[in-house]
Structure formats: C-alpha cells, structure tokens
C-alpha cells in the first residue's frame, strides 16, 4: 500500500461533515467504522468514545485544508505537524496480498495499526497521508470546493493545478449557476439608445436646407 493512499483517510473524515448545509454523517459508531474502508480489523476497535474524538480530529484536519485554501502555507504545515506529533505513525515494510508474477512479495511501506484506540490509529494514518501529499505535491494541492455551500475537501492531482471543485457534480452546478448569473445580468442591463451615424445626420440636415432654400 503506497503512502499516497492514506491521504484519502483525511479527505474522507473531513467530508463526513458539511457545515454549509448543516449536515454531519458522523453520528454513530457504525459511521466511524465505515471511514476505515476495507481496514475492518482497525474499524472493529471503534467504540462510542471514539465518536467525540473523531469529530475533534476532523475539525483539526479541516483547519489544515482551510489554511491551505487561503494560501496560509506555514499555518497549514504547523497545524499538520501538531497532529503528527500527537498521533505518531508506526511504519512497517509489508508484502501481504501483493505478489509479482513469480509469487514473490512486492515489498512496500505500510502504516501499522495503532494499538491504543481507533481514533489514534485513524488520525495517525490520515495525518501522515496528508503530510506525504503536502510535501510531495505542495500545499496548494489541498483545497476546499468553491461550489458554495459545499466546501468539501479535495486533493488536487491535476497536471496544471487547476482543480477548484470536489466533484464533477459540483463543477457542473457551479458552471450552471455562473451561466444563469451572466444571463440575469444581461437581461437587467439597460438597453442603450441607437445612435444614428453622424455623416448620415449631416447629409439629411444639408438636404433639408437645400429644399427649404428652393421653396423660397
């Protein structure tokens, strides 16, 4: 398992809450266990006490994304370092379930489960994964969705650092909203009166003077 995979743990936990919509999916022990994905052994250690602890870690991880989104690079790093200090990881070389064509293990770095409790284990993995992503790709690769009121966290893996939304759905919604806003502005813009061409006006005025002088 590559270390980059663990950054998804941070995104998954942060996005379990949508403050702008007043939604929080982290309301039960089962919801906590679901965050572990396929790591069922670690998930089974979750108890009622982990619910409050998970919410606390979630707020701190969101603060990292918020600082990064505002361009406050040093603050984002400081916040993440505080998590790394509080929840240290236990790296191990592993080769389980990964074999080459000859049946030999494909050795890779693996973060071992934390022995104390489910929150400590998850926080250690999430913080380390996020730290790896930040140092490998840059602080500006941590973002919050611009499609209000979403504000879900995402990791920008685009080649030109252009990602602004957490999903295609939010990107489409934002584009539609921007299009409708432009149409409303166009509809509300007062129509400018048509201006006649100066040369045409002068020619008409000259013709009127000629006609008037001939009638005298």
């Amino acid at each position: 398992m590559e270390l980059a995979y663990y950054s998804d743990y941070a995104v998954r936990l942060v996005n379990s809450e949508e403050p702008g919509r007043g939604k929080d999916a982290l309301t039960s022990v089962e919801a906590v266990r679901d965050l572990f994905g396929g790591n069922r052994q670690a998930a089974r250690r979750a108890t009622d006490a982990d619910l409050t602890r998970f919410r606390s870690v979630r707020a701190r991880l969101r603060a990292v994304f918020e600082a990064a989104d505002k361009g406050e690079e040093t603050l984002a790093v400081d916040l993440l370092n505080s998590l790394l200090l509080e929840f240290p990881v236990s790296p191990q070389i592993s080769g389980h379930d990964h074999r080459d064509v000859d049946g030999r293990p494909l050795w890779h770095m693996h973060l071992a489960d934390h022995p104390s409790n489910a929150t400590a284990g998850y926080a250690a993995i999430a913080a380390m994964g996020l730290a790896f992503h930040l140092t490998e790709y840059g602080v500006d690769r941590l973002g919050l969705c611009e499609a209000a009121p979403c504000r879900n966290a995402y990791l920008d893996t685009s080649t030109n650092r252009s990602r602004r939304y957490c999903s295609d759905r939010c990107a489409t919604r934002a584009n539609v909203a921007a299009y409708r806003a432009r149409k409303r502005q166009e509809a509300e813009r007062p129509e400018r009166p048509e201006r006649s061409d100066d040369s045409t006006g002068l020619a008409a005025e000259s013709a009127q003077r000629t006609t008037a002088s001939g009638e005298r």
Side-chain angles (χ1 to χ4, degrees):
M1 187 178 294
E2 297 181 0
L3 291 180
Y5 166 82
Y6 291 113
S7 58
D8 289 337
Y9 274 62
V11 174
R12 207 180 303 159
L13 177 54
V14 171
N15 292 346
S16 66
E17 180 185 30
E18 297 182 70
R21 294 189 173 104
K23 295 182 179 180
D24 187 351
L26 209 56
T27 58
S28 66
V29 176
E30 284 305 314
V32 170
R33 289 172 179 163
D34 287 342
L35 290 172
F36 285 88
N39 192 351
R40 304 313 300 172
Q41 180 178 352
R44 282 194 292 270
R45 289 205 302 269
T47 66
D48 289 332
D50 285 298
L51 196 56
T52 300
R53 292 195 290 251
F54 260 73
R55 288 173 177 166
S56 176
V57 172
R58 179 179 64 187
R60 295 170 66 181
L61 286 170
R62 175 170 282 278
V64 175
F65 278 93
E66 288 175 343
D69 188 62
K70 294 175 182 177
E72 298 175 351
E73 186 169 337
T74 302
L75 176 58
V77 170
D78 288 344
L79 292 171
L80 190 50
N81 272 335
S82 69
L83 283 165
L84 290 170
L85 287 171
E86 185 173 345
F87 303 104
V89 297
S90 301
Q92 290 182 345
I93 299 174
S94 177
H96 63 82
D97 298 330
H98 293 78
R99 301 279 174 173
D100 62 16
V101 292
D102 296 321
R104 293 174 301 188
L106 293 175
W107 301 112
H108 59 278
M109 290 302 298
H110 178 82
L111 299 184
D113 294 334
H114 202 286
S116 58
N117 59 68
T119 303
Y122 194 100
I125 290 173
M128 186 61 197
L130 200 57
F132 175 83
H133 194 93
L134 185 151
T135 54
E136 185 74 10
Y137 303 107
V139 177
D140 57 341
R141 293 288 189 157
L142 279 58
L144 292 174
C145 186
E146 292 185 11
C150 178
R151 304 301 284 168
N152 270 351
Y154 65 82
L155 299 172
D156 186 359
T157 56
S158 64
T159 56
N160 57 354
R161 301 173 184 265
S162 60
R163 185 169 178 179
R164 297 166 56 200
Y165 307 104
C166 68
S167 64
D168 290 340
R169 180 181 179 183
C170 276
T172 300
R173 184 162 55 84
N175 289 333
V176 170
Y179 172 79
R180 290 175 177 172
R182 287 196 301 271
K183 287 299 181 181
R184 283 195 300 270
Q185 290 177 353
E186 291 173 2
E188 294 169 358
R189 189 178 301 144
E191 294 185 4
R192 300 176 62 182
E194 295 184 2
R195 297 176 59 186
S196 60
D197 185 77
D198 290 342
S199 61
T200 303
L202 291 172
E205 185 179 346
S206 177
Q208 288 177 356
R209 285 199 297 268
T210 302
T211 303
S213 62
E215 291 175 350
R216 291 192 183 114

